[in-house]
Amino acid sequence: MSQLKVLVVGASIAGPTAAYWLAKAGANVTIIERFPKLRTNGQSIDIRTAGVTVMRKMLGMEPAVRAKTTQVEGISFVRANGRPYATIKATGNPDQQSLVSEYEIFRGDLAQVLFDLTKNNENIKYVFGEQVASMQQTEKNDGPITVEFANGLSTSEYDLVVACDGATSRTRAIGLGCGVRDHIKPTNCWAAYFTIEQDLLEGSKMVQLYSAKGGRFFALGPDPSGINRVGLMGLQPRNDRDATLPFREAMKQGDDALKRFVAQHYKGAGWKTDKILKGMMETKDFYGSEIVQVKTQNLYKGRFVLVGDAGYAPGFTGTGTTLAITGAYILAGEVGRYKSDLAAGLRGYEERMRPIINDMQKVPPLIPTIIAPQTVWGIWLRNNIFAFIAWTRILEFLQRFFASSFANSDKYRLPEYEWVA
């Protein structure tokens, strides 16, 4: 294992975490990222359960994350007139979190934290502006993988290739010999994220959540710099077989076309919609994505392996970051545990991750309906249920309902591994 040569594809969350642990297992790691530089924008994400356990094993990561948390104090669910009908705040216990995480951080800030933890490691090299063009394994899939690159990096052999490039991973398609969408399970939901210069929260550190009929969901949150972060989510009925197709077609045409699509979809939604959409049209950091689950029969093929959203995007469950961090740790730990038997290490990774994936990918019944009801009556019913839950303070109910997201941090009892570096 001491000289194992590894290629990691993707430099967001899963990729740098995998590189960190693979280097500790003695590997020499190259990370490629198709964007020309580290992407430091993005929505708020959080670290929970097993992800907290792994974070605490990474020297310096927990204080770095705490220094960059969003500083959100809680969540207010608001009506069209802006009045809150339910408020939820953090538990104060990072090992048993509520809807508000003690480790909530913007995606770009977490990517920066992980980059900073790995960029000076002599066994880790970053290459930006590069992507895989092709991969060739031996006939029995038991030897190194020959990788050709698209943008100038020399063709090379790798003992292991790790795909960490998201739910719509092109690398997964190449490595498994399938289509990009072959293992994607649609949720009939899409989202758009951006910042706006105007502080519509007027200095408040509470996130405001609002729903309008037609499955239109808004999240308006603070930013330490004084601007606002916005997340828009469009949910369609599950019986609509390909409801996200218009969104995907607009996305192919570029940001301007996608902004127009989103603006049209949210037109007339009430609340602060007009100001939010005006800010969206002016923003420079807009991006959108389809929310999906990824389910593959196997997490690896020969010496090609999937980590994070590329292998097991969870969709609505809010566990994507935790799964990515946990998967990276277990992959490196199992590969290091079996040392010269790479096939056994990959089998160990599959066997240990499957129960965690199955648990964290469970979408509780009616979640799309609860997040963004389709009808005015549905919104009224949801609002009154949430108001009752908040008034009675029975958050334990929510924690049982969303068990995979809010379980105690030691629920999964991750193995301890021996590291050589």
Side-chain angles (χ1 to χ4, degrees):
M1 176 78 190
S2 60
Q3 297 299 316
L4 194 73
K5 188 177 178 182
V6 179
L7 176 68
V8 172
V9 183
S12 182
I13 308 302
T17 309
Y20 176 94
W21 288 110
L22 286 164
K24 285 186 70 67
N28 187 287
V29 185
T30 298
I31 304 179
I32 64 169
E33 167 59 52
R34 68 186 181 94
F35 287 92
K37 61 181 181 179
L38 190 71
R39 291 176 295 158
T40 56
N41 63 337
Q43 77 279 20
S44 62
I45 55 179
D46 49 44
I47 305 170
R48 299 177 182 269
T49 63
V52 174
T53 302
V54 175
M55 175 179 65
R56 290 172 174 168
K57 297 176 185 292
M58 300 175 69
L59 185 63
M61 182 172 174
E62 185 174 15
V65 167
R66 285 191 177 278
K68 287 290 187 177
T69 54
T70 60
Q71 308 299 314
V72 166
E73 294 178 351
I75 296 172
S76 285
F77 299 85
V78 300
R79 304 182 194 278
N81 60 10
R83 292 180 180 176
Y85 58 87
T87 298
I88 297 175
K89 294 192 175 183
T91 64
N93 177 6
D95 295 319
Q96 187 72 61
Q97 302 182 45
S98 71
L99 275 170
V100 184
S101 171
E102 274 72 11
Y103 299 111
E104 183 166 309
I105 183 172
F106 295 122
R107 190 210 63 80
D109 287 341
L110 182 56
Q112 186 69 60
V113 166
L114 291 165
F115 178 71
D116 290 343
L117 285 175
T118 52
K119 65 182 180 181
N120 295 323
N121 189 312
E122 62 182 8
N123 290 316
I124 299 174
K125 180 178 76 170
Y126 281 87
V127 180
F128 289 95
E130 189 57 274
Q131 54 189 320
V132 172
S134 70
M135 289 186 286
Q136 298 293 328
Q137 295 206 54
T138 61
E139 186 173 337
K140 295 183 179 180
N141 293 333
D142 60 356
I145 300 177
T146 302
V147 180
E148 292 183 333
F149 298 94
N151 299 318
L153 196 62
S154 298
T155 299
S156 188
E157 288 188 345
Y158 295 91
D159 300 303
L160 181 66
V161 176
V162 187
C164 303
D165 52 339
T168 56
S169 168
R170 288 182 64 259
T171 315
R172 179 183 65 230
I174 296 171
L176 298 183
C178 62
V180 170
R181 296 188 63 85
D182 279 3
H183 297 287
I184 287 176
K185 307 300 179 184
T187 65
N188 280 1
C189 176
W190 52 261
Y193 309 99
F194 52 92
T195 61
I196 57 176
E197 294 296 324
Q198 186 177 1
D199 180 13
L200 300 180
L201 296 172
E202 299 179 343
S204 171
K205 292 186 178 180
M206 297 289 290
V207 174
Q208 293 186 357
L209 304 182
Y210 170 72
S211 294
K213 68 177 182 179
R216 294 176 290 180
F217 174 85
F218 295 74
L220 179 65
D223 184 281
S225 67
I227 61 176
N228 287 168
R229 301 255 182 170
V230 179
L232 305 179
M233 192 180 299
L235 290 92
Q236 303 299 322
R238 296 301 294 272
N239 58 3
D240 191 338
R241 294 187 60 184
D242 201 2
T244 62
L245 182 59
F247 174 84
R248 300 199 310 269
E249 291 296 327
M251 189 162 57
K252 290 178 182 177
Q253 298 173 41
D255 285 351
D256 289 342
L258 190 56
K259 284 181 180 181
R260 290 193 296 271
F261 173 86
V262 173
Q264 182 62 36
H265 183 78
Y266 278 87
K267 184 179 180 180
W271 190 49
K272 301 176 181 179
T273 299
D274 291 345
K275 293 179 179 179
I276 288 173
L277 294 181
K278 181 177 183 295
M280 180 189 73
M281 299 306 292
E282 297 170 351
T283 192
K284 303 296 184 184
D285 60 2
F286 173 92
Y287 79 98
S289 64
E290 182 185 6
I291 296 177
V292 300
Q293 287 195 324
V294 171
K295 295 188 176 183
T296 61
Q297 185 174 354
N298 299 105
L299 296 179
Y300 69 96
K301 179 181 179 181
R303 295 191 174 190
F304 172 76
V305 64
L306 304 168
V307 174
D309 283 357
Y312 31 84
F316 290 114
T317 69
T319 57
T321 303
T322 290
L323 273 172
I325 292 171
T326 304
Y329 171 78
I330 290 178
L331 171 64
E334 292 296 311
V335 167
R337 177 185 174 200
Y338 287 97
K339 296 181 171 60
S340 59
D341 192 348
L342 188 55
L346 294 175
R347 285 195 300 271
Y349 165 64
E350 175 102 37
E351 290 168 3
R352 288 194 179 274
M353 278 302 295
R354 274 301 173 191
I356 301 174
I357 294 167
N358 292 341
D359 189 37
M360 292 194 184
Q361 282 193 328
K362 290 177 182 175
V363 179
L366 302 178
I367 277 297
T369 302
I370 292 171
I371 293 175
Q374 296 293 319
T375 65
V376 173
W377 182 87
I379 292 171
W380 177 88
L381 180 63
R382 191 280 311 274
N383 290 358
N384 281 280
I385 291 173
F386 275 21
F388 175 76
I389 291 173
W391 177 68
T392 56
R393 301 191 177 189
I394 53 173
L395 286 180
E396 292 81 3
F397 167 78
L398 282 176
Q399 291 171 357
R400 288 195 298 271
F401 193 65
F402 297 103
S404 61
S405 291
F406 304 138
N408 191 281
S409 62
D410 65 359
K411 171 185 176 180
Y412 298 102
R413 300 189 180 279
L414 300 184
E416 296 288 343
Y417 297 110
E418 294 183 4
W419 307 100
V420 301

